[in-house]
Amino acid sequence: MRKKLLAAASFMALLITACSGNSGTNSTASQEAKTSDTSAPAESQEAGWAPKEDIEFIVGNSAGGGADLFTRELVSIIDQYDMCSVNITVVNKPGSSHVVGYTYLLDHGDDYHLDVTSASFFTQPVSGNSPFQFEDFSYVAMLCKDPNLVFAAPNAGFSDFDSMIQYAKDNPGAVSVAGSSAYSDDAILCNMLQESCGLELNYVTYESGADVLAAVMGGHVQLGILNPAEVGDNIAAGNVTPIVVSVEKRVNMEGMENVPTFKEAGVDIEHEQPRGFVMSSAASPEAVSYYAELLGKVAKTPEWKEYLEEQCMEEDIYLGADWETQAKDHYVSIYTDYVGRILESTK
């Protein structure tokens, strides 16, 4: 499908050039072809800033997790369309719920390092577990929202939402739930589930999404919470059992056609984490604008839209200052409330 789309795009570019009656590089048709939605961000380059060194996209989790897959797909599309004149490398810096990654970003403090955001970007500062503040970052782009899936081990003792709730009520404290950190979306969702359903669950943290999945598949815990992209292949293979998803509509993924949302299951829960990118506040405004435009172009490609659909993500785009406003005025408030509930429940 991708090859067909690229071939069609190439054919249309040639057709436009031929019909213009002018094959010179300064023709209007040629310039329009160069500045199409999937071309390199020429406007930013003409304005005076373009990367002259290789770029690093930082992921504060291990390879194979949701943030890692998200970032690598984005970089792959940039490469596919030759949107950037220099190399972009994905660098994994796992540890301390992404704090290691943000430390690496801010230590560089330049125009060539970006970091993917997840829930920990918001929860770590408001929980007091991070030395950073929201003002330490420049906001490049938010591209989508990512759902959360509760899934079970094959030997968990239950295989759907109602039997899971009944089992947890019959065995208080006996059901363990694997998540990626104490203040991740996983922990938030686990806490919301306990409050809404009157359960006593044992939340267990792991270093990465891959570790969470391994713990569930190995039967070390009964439940895990990840995004569908991290679990999809193992659902299709029957290695884990999907229980419930925290989105408005059911997830369109193989093996999840009959998996209810929380609201369909009778629980008033809906939560998705924002996926975006930030830089150090020391980065130049020109560089931030360049990357915001670059990521905005990625979001327009058919490959990116197909990726979001496959991964059950909801497109939700904010670029530059709009992302900063959305982050500080909306998500900081939401996550502050969630973290406050977690802290209160642990007293």
Side-chain angles (χ1 to χ4, degrees):
M1 180 66 178
R2 293 186 179 181
K3 290 182 179 178
K4 291 181 180 178
L5 288 168
L6 289 173
S10 298
F11 173 77
M12 288 304 296
L14 289 171
L15 183 60
I16 291 170
T17 302
C19 292
S20 69
N22 185 348
S23 61
T25 57
N26 292 323
S27 70
T28 300
S30 177
Q31 287 303 312
E32 288 176 351
K34 289 181 180 178
T35 57
S36 65
D37 284 348
T38 55
S39 65
E43 297 86 356
S44 294
Q45 295 177 11
E46 291 171 0
W49 196 94
K52 298 178 176 61
E53 304 173 12
D54 289 348
I55 300 162
E56 290 188 353
F57 277 42
I58 304 160
V59 178
N61 308 97
S62 301
D68 180 72
L69 297 172
F70 173 86
T71 304
R72 291 182 187 278
E73 178 67 19
L74 185 145
V75 172
S76 174
I77 293 173
I78 293 174
D79 290 343
Q80 176 181 336
Y81 280 98
D82 196 22
M83 292 182 178
C84 185
S85 59
V86 300
N87 294 324
I88 301 178
T89 303
V90 178
V91 179
N92 295 91
K93 294 290 181 180
S96 302
S97 298
H98 214 132
V99 171
V100 171
Y102 294 131
T103 299
Y104 182 81
L105 173 73
L106 298 181
D107 282 348
H108 283 80
D110 59 18
D111 292 346
Y112 295 92
H113 290 80
L114 294 83
D115 202 323
V116 63
T117 63
S118 58
S120 59
F121 177 77
F122 299 98
T123 60
Q124 292 297 76
V126 300
S127 65
N129 292 325
S130 170
F132 315 124
Q133 302 300 319
F134 299 113
E135 289 71 27
D136 294 327
F137 300 91
S138 291
Y139 295 75
V140 179
M142 172 183 162
L143 300 179
C144 63
K145 294 186 292 188
D146 202 356
N148 296 282
L149 170 71
V150 180
F151 60 101
N155 61 348
F158 45 81
S159 58
D160 57 30
F161 183 80
D162 289 338
S163 61
M164 181 269 287
I165 294 297
Q166 190 60 54
Y167 184 94
K169 287 184 175 181
D170 292 343
N171 302 275
V175 176
S176 292
V177 183
S180 57
S181 78
Y183 297 102
S184 64
D185 278 294
D186 317 333
I188 289 168
L189 194 56
C190 182
N191 182 263
M192 295 169 75
L193 183 58
Q194 290 187 98
E195 287 188 353
S196 299
C197 299
L199 306 180
E200 182 182 342
L201 304 173
N202 179 32
Y203 183 74
V204 184
T205 61
Y206 289 85
E207 186 64 30
S208 69
D211 294 331
V212 170
L213 183 57
V216 177
M217 289 176 59
H220 305 297
V221 296
Q222 291 96 329
L223 292 173
I225 301 176
L226 292 172
N227 60 60
E230 296 173 280
V231 193
D233 289 344
N234 285 286
I235 292 174
N239 297 327
V240 296
T241 303
I243 299 296
V244 64
V245 65
S246 65
V247 289
E248 182 179 357
K249 298 179 181 179
R250 289 194 180 191
V251 169
N252 182 24
M253 179 180 282
E254 182 182 358
M256 291 189 61
E257 298 85 357
N258 298 318
V259 178
T261 67
F262 273 104
K263 290 187 177 181
E264 286 180 329
V267 181
D268 189 19
I269 292 177
E270 182 181 332
H271 178 62
E272 300 173 82
Q273 70 171 323
R275 293 285 192 191
F277 289 88
V278 293
M279 300 177 71
S280 164
S281 60
S284 68
E286 295 80 7
V288 175
S289 295
Y290 171 91
Y291 292 114
E293 184 178 346
L294 175 64
L295 299 184
K297 287 182 178 293
V298 172
K300 293 179 180 179
T301 65
E303 288 80 6
W304 183 254
K305 294 181 183 297
E306 180 181 346
Y307 172 77
L308 294 186
E309 183 177 357
E310 289 175 348
Q311 307 305 320
C312 313
M313 297 177 183
E314 178 185 350
E315 182 179 274
D316 200 13
I317 300 174
Y318 296 88
L319 303 179
D322 290 338
W323 170 216
E324 181 172 7
T325 298
Q326 181 72 354
K328 293 181 177 180
D329 293 353
H330 181 66
Y331 284 109
V332 169
S333 175
I334 289 175
Y335 280 103
T336 297
D337 178 59
Y338 289 162
V339 170
R341 294 183 190 183
I342 293 175
L343 292 174
E344 184 66 27
S345 68
T346 57
K347 288 182 179 180

